[in-house]
Amino acid sequence: MGGTAFKTQLLKWVGNKQRQAPEIIRHFPSRFGTYFEPFLGSGGVLGVLAPRLGVASDAFEPLIEIWRTLGSKPSQVKDWYAGRHALILEHGKEGAYARVLESYNRSPNGADLLFLCRACYGGVVRFRKVDGYMSTPCGVHDPISPDSFNKRVDLWAERTKGTKFVHADFSEVMSQAKPGDLVYCDPPYADSQAILYGAQAFSLRRLFDCIADCRARGVHVALSIDGSKYSGAKLCELPIPPGLFKQERFIELGRSMLKRFQMDGRSLEDHEVSDRLLLTY
Ligand SMILES: C[S@@+](CC[C@H](N)C(=O)[O-])C[C@H]1O[C@@H](n2cnc3c(N)ncnc32)[C@H](O)[C@@H]1O
């Protein structure tokens, strides 16, 4: 298993945890069976951990299509990226982006999402609430070259070769965990990420019920919670059932990209946040 610094990212995703992953992993039990990550996103913790046996899932289907393909046919993922990157030569960056975005919004799919998440503004993939259209504009940066992307695919395919990727709601996958397994949850943050990830409803209360079931079966659960929820008056809004968690740890985050994006680059000095990690063990 991994746990040391592995900084190369395959996807750009809101709430990516790769930078904090070594610190998060430090608090995992020293031994566990299968590793479950039911809110996979860009898999920041999965990539750093590189578990021997894993089940990684997300409710967002186009995203899981990328991961599944990485597992079954990495060359396809390379082709997807190279094909769309090649449009830049012909149409310029903005033109290429507009074409891929249009194709994605006509029919959401992993191949387009892959290019869009690498090329969009701030790596913040977000969707219009009314119709689920992806609405993020083209980024100011140049998307990485296909050569450099291919190397990332090889690294990630190697590190996730023991992991099965599943498209599912968290509850379905967490109910499969067995005694001694570990579940790491990084759910959407109800207040700061409500506009993201399309229309899926997310209920923290339902997650707490699943965590309680896991704990009762002898499954270890670690839960990342948005630190800003704990600041000042917001503390009481989290319906954490008393006694569900045994330990609580701070994980430093630094500045939040999401807030920088939403606030149009205004100063964020007062927005330093730290996540918390709640542990059932
Ligand atoms: C904060 S992000 C996870 C970020 C991840 N740790 C990373 O490093 O990129 C939360 C993820 O939960 C997913 N999600 C939202 N509702 C869900 C649900 N009901 N079941 C499973 N996944 C869900 C979203 O699609 C999103 O990818």
Side-chain angles (χ1 to χ4, degrees):
M1 282 188 206
T4 47
F6 167 62
K7 298 198 171 124
T8 314
Q9 297 182 348
L10 185 69
L11 310 175
K12 293 194 185 189
W13 205 247
V14 172
N16 172 274
K17 285 282 195 301
Q18 200 156 338
R19 200 156 45 87
Q20 300 86 35
E23 210 192 322
I24 292 172
I25 291 168
R26 218 159 43 80
H27 299 294
F28 284 175
S30 50
R31 290 172 66 88
F32 52 86
T34 301
Y35 172 74
F36 286 77
E37 193 169 332
F39 299 93
L40 183 64
S42 53
V45 174
L46 177 76
V48 175
L49 182 66
R52 195 174 46 83
L53 271 180
V55 177
S57 56
D58 199 286
F60 187 34
E61 194 162 15
L63 177 71
I64 283 297
E65 195 190 339
I66 302 174
W67 287 114
R68 272 196 177 140
T69 311
L70 177 77
S72 60
K73 204 177 172 200
S75 63
Q76 174 86 73
V77 178
K78 294 177 182 176
D79 290 347
W80 282 348
Y81 186 79
R84 284 153 186 82
H85 192 275
L87 295 173
I88 296 176
L89 261 185
E90 212 179 319
H91 304 286
K93 184 174 69 176
E94 301 261 348
Y97 185 86
R99 279 170 168 76
V100 179
L101 184 61
E102 203 266 326
S103 159
Y104 176 86
N105 280 331
R106 223 179 318 119
S107 171
N109 64 88
D112 289 334
L113 181 66
L114 169 66
F115 180 75
L116 293 173
C117 85
R118 294 243 43 120
C120 75
Y121 191 88
V124 179
V125 175
R126 64 171 191 179
F127 304 92
R128 267 195 330 230
K129 230 179 189 155
V130 273
D131 49 16
Y133 267 44
M134 181 179 161
S135 56
T136 317
C138 184
V140 286
H141 65 289
D142 287 327
I144 57 170
S145 71
D147 272 357
S148 147
F149 182 73
N150 291 349
K151 292 194 183 96
R152 295 178 186 223
V153 169
D154 292 337
L155 283 171
W156 276 82
E158 176 61 27
R159 297 183 79 92
T160 58
K161 66 181 180 214
T163 296
K164 187 173 120 192
F165 294 103
V166 181
H167 169 231
D169 180 74
F170 64 85
S171 57
E172 197 183 317
V173 174
M174 285 172 75
S175 69
Q176 293 164 15
K178 303 210 159 45
D181 287 348
L182 170 68
V183 180
Y184 167 66
C185 296
D186 184 23
Y189 305 144
D191 52 358
S192 65
Q193 293 183 354
I195 51 158
L196 307 165
Y197 313 127
Q200 299 106 323
F202 174 73
S203 148
L204 255 184
R205 214 171 283 274
R206 195 162 66 86
L207 176 59
F208 286 137
D209 287 346
C210 276
I211 294 176
D213 282 352
C214 280
R215 186 183 154 162
R217 298 199 309 276
V219 175
H220 308 301
V221 183
L223 168 69
S224 280
I225 288 281
D226 183 351
S228 62
K229 279 186 179 302
Y230 284 83
S231 61
K234 285 195 160 183
L235 180 63
C236 303
E237 287 174 21
L238 262 189
I240 299 179
L244 180 55
F245 297 100
K246 284 197 181 151
Q247 305 186 64
E248 191 170 49
R249 297 276 183 264
F250 277 104
I251 306 290
E252 291 309 314
L253 280 182
R255 288 179 186 192
S256 153
M257 263 311 290
L258 175 60
K259 287 184 176 139
R260 193 180 311 170
F261 180 74
Q262 287 176 335
M263 297 176 79
D264 271 342
R266 270 186 288 140
S267 167
L268 290 168
E269 256 48 70
D270 54 345
H271 283 274
E272 294 280 333
V273 287
S274 65
D275 262 5
R276 285 203 180 181
L277 194 62
L278 303 180
L279 311 171
T280 61
Y281 46 91

